[in-house]
Amino acid sequence: MMDSYFSVLLIVGITTLLASFLPIVLKRFKISFTLPVLILGGLFYYINVPLPWPDPTWEIDLTLHFSEMVVIISLMVAGLKIGLNYSWREWLNPLRLLGITMPLFMAVVFIVSYYILGFSGELALLLAAVLAPTDPALASEIQLNKKQSVSSKNLGAQYNLTAEAGLNDGLAFPFIYLAILWSKSDGLNSEVWLEWLSYYVLFKIVVGVIIGMVIGFLYSYFTTRLSEGNTHKIHLAFVALSLTLISYGLAEVLNAYGFLSVFFAGLFAHYHQQKKNIEHAGHPSLSFISNIEKFLIVFWMLFFGGSIIAGIMNFVTIEIVLFSLCLVLIVRPILGYISLYGSKLNKRHKMVISFFGIKGIGSVFYLTYAIKHGEFSNTDQLFSIVALVILISILLHGLTAKRSMRAVNEEKEADSF
């Protein structure tokens, strides 16, 4: 037991050190740091490194809480970068992706899963909801890379992808709950629909948003009041992490959507500083929580690589492979482009935003959450499908993201409305 413990410490140290130097090595090749870590995870599993590997599917509780932590930290990072620097008109494009792309994507997944793959209604709905959101964690390399300001802000692909990822994780949750309710009942009767609309849609979304806004607002208010001569005493490195845990914990205690609370807390954390044009006081440190995000992503990728070798995709069929490829290569890009029709974004920005609907850690959280709280049967194939879609997304987007972002950033940023 003790030898295994020290072995794990050694592996953690080697892996984090390697991840620290990877950006330097990979800069020449213009690929994501997640790809080498993914391969390393597969190698570690193959040589039987003593880590808690999947066997072959993920252990529900461990996976649930680990993926949950990665997602909420990524959402706080996204919220802090965006802040309140964008007008309602500039939010229209992300809202197009949420209001058009996401529901149409879910409809496609449901129809194919139900009528072609032969899944039950609740499993088809669950798969649609699980795969719907883009991932705020694995998509970090194509999102905003610093805190924005009113005078100098990104209005193109990076902003739109960050805003989409920040909101759609929380907005996919109602459909996860609808699938859970369906799994526990004989069908979606009027009573189930009423409960879902009133509580799981209206109440949990509204309360979640309000909690996040209030926490962010209160933080910005008190730090502004304390800023005169006292700012240096505030340990800003810990603030972003504290706001993440407080907003998420309070929202979940009050049965609201914590994902939305975290994102909105990040948006409103700069409220008073921005209104009073205070650039130096009370801003939560992005560097500290961003490094925590990267640290957690490294180990998530490590275990994901191990799960691939462990056989998590053993339940994949030829039909599922074609289905998964189509989702990443055809369905998301086409639906994303359709939703941006009529916007003033140029063609290249539209194509990049549409193409980079990255699937990742959020999907794993939703799937494990639903399995834990619902009454689904025959879920092994869902694990395989989700793992395959994530793998395709990681490989495809990991090889193209840096090149695409570089090409887009070399252009003059187009207006996003």
Side-chain angles (χ1 to χ4, degrees):
M1 180 65 71
M2 188 60 68
D3 288 341
S4 296
Y5 169 72
F6 290 127
S7 297
V8 170
L9 292 184
L10 177 62
I11 293 161
V12 169
I14 292 173
T15 305
T16 51
L17 184 63
L18 178 64
S20 300
F21 285 95
L22 275 175
I24 300 173
V25 178
L26 298 176
K27 188 174 182 180
R28 169 183 284 183
F29 301 100
K30 296 182 178 64
I31 62 175
S32 171
F33 78 97
T34 57
L35 294 178
V37 180
L38 178 75
I39 296 170
L40 186 64
L43 176 63
F44 279 179
Y45 178 87
Y46 183 76
I47 63 177
N48 200 27
V49 169
L51 290 174
W53 298 110
D55 187 28
T57 56
W58 299 302
E59 197 279 321
I60 295 296
D61 287 326
L62 177 62
T63 305
L64 175 66
H65 295 304
F66 187 77
S67 58
E68 179 180 42
M69 186 59 63
V70 180
V71 172
I72 62 174
I73 287 177
S74 299
L75 290 172
M76 176 57 69
V77 171
L80 289 173
K81 288 177 180 177
I82 295 173
L84 298 176
N85 300 297
Y86 294 87
S87 68
W88 283 108
R89 292 183 67 193
E90 290 164 347
W91 274 96
L92 286 180
N93 285 335
L95 293 176
R96 289 170 185 257
L97 295 170
L98 294 168
I100 301 174
T101 303
M102 193 168 79
L104 289 178
F105 185 91
M106 289 181 61
V108 170
V109 175
F110 179 85
I111 291 170
V112 174
S113 302
Y114 185 75
Y115 290 103
I116 298 178
L117 299 181
F119 288 180
S120 64
E122 60 269 24
L123 278 182
L125 178 58
L126 176 59
L127 183 62
V130 162
L131 294 178
T134 57
D135 191 70
L138 297 186
S140 60
E141 290 187 326
I142 59 172
Q143 295 177 6
L144 296 172
N145 53 22
K146 63 181 180 178
K147 179 184 175 295
Q148 303 298 288
S149 64
V150 174
S151 59
S152 177
K153 58 187 175 183
N154 180 289
L155 292 171
Q158 289 175 296
Y159 158 64
N160 284 280
L161 289 168
T162 306
E164 180 195 10
L167 284 172
N168 68 7
D169 264 301
L171 296 179
F173 227 142
F175 298 96
I176 299 293
Y177 275 112
L178 184 60
I180 292 172
L181 292 173
W182 195 350
S183 74
K184 294 181 176 181
S185 62
D186 295 331
L188 295 177
N189 54 43
S190 58
E191 185 177 339
V192 172
W193 280 111
L194 181 60
E195 179 186 5
W196 180 70
L197 288 170
S198 60
Y199 180 67
Y200 292 101
V201 177
L202 184 62
F203 173 82
K204 291 174 79 72
I205 288 178
V206 171
V207 175
V209 170
I210 291 174
I211 289 172
M213 292 171 62
V214 169
I215 289 175
F217 179 89
L218 290 176
Y219 166 78
S220 67
Y221 173 77
F222 285 112
T223 51
T224 303
R225 291 291 298 269
L226 293 170
S227 64
E228 296 180 3
N230 294 315
T231 340
H232 61 284
K233 296 181 180 180
I234 302 173
H235 292 282
L236 294 177
F238 303 116
V239 167
L241 182 59
S242 302
L243 289 176
T244 303
L245 300 177
I246 291 169
S247 55
Y248 188 74
L250 180 60
E252 293 298 323
V253 166
L254 297 178
N255 296 318
Y257 289 131
F259 284 178
L260 289 175
S261 293
V262 171
F263 182 63
F264 276 88
L267 292 178
F268 277 78
H270 305 299
Y271 179 84
H272 290 89
Q273 291 91 333
Q274 182 175 315
K275 290 291 183 183
K276 296 187 178 184
N277 197 28
I278 303 174
E279 293 297 330
H280 62 281
H283 289 306
S285 172
L286 262 174
S287 61
F288 180 74
I289 194 168
S290 296
N291 286 331
I292 293 177
E293 177 191 28
K294 287 183 173 60
F295 179 84
L296 294 176
I297 290 173
V298 164
F299 284 95
W300 190 91
M301 290 302 303
L302 203 67
F303 285 111
F304 184 67
S307 71
I308 300 300
I309 305 300
I312 197 170
M313 294 193 296
N314 286 348
F315 308 98
V316 165
T317 63
I318 294 297
E319 292 81 7
I320 287 175
V321 171
L322 295 174
F323 172 58
S324 301
L325 285 170
C326 286
L327 289 180
V328 178
L329 293 173
I330 300 173
V331 177
R332 159 68 194 204
I334 290 177
L335 295 180
Y337 202 89
I338 289 173
S339 70
L340 295 172
Y341 177 81
S343 74
K344 293 186 178 180
L345 287 165
N346 63 40
K347 184 176 180 180
R348 180 171 289 183
H349 279 267
K350 290 179 184 178
M351 291 177 66
V352 168
I353 294 168
S354 303
F355 180 71
F356 285 103
I358 296 179
K359 310 303 176 185
I361 302 172
S363 295
V364 174
F365 168 78
Y366 280 134
L367 179 59
T368 51
Y369 184 93
I371 291 173
K372 182 177 177 63
H373 293 89
E375 296 177 4
F376 300 95
S377 58
N378 302 320
T379 57
D380 286 343
Q381 204 165 34
L382 262 65
F383 276 102
S384 289
I385 295 173
V386 171
L388 179 58
V389 171
I390 294 173
L391 179 62
I392 294 170
S393 186
I394 289 172
L395 295 176
L396 181 64
H397 298 137
L399 291 170
T400 58
K402 288 185 178 294
R403 290 178 174 84
S404 299
M405 286 299 110
R406 183 177 180 180
V408 165
N409 290 333
E410 285 175 351
E411 293 184 341
K412 181 180 178 181
E413 289 291 334
D415 287 340
S416 66
F417 55 91

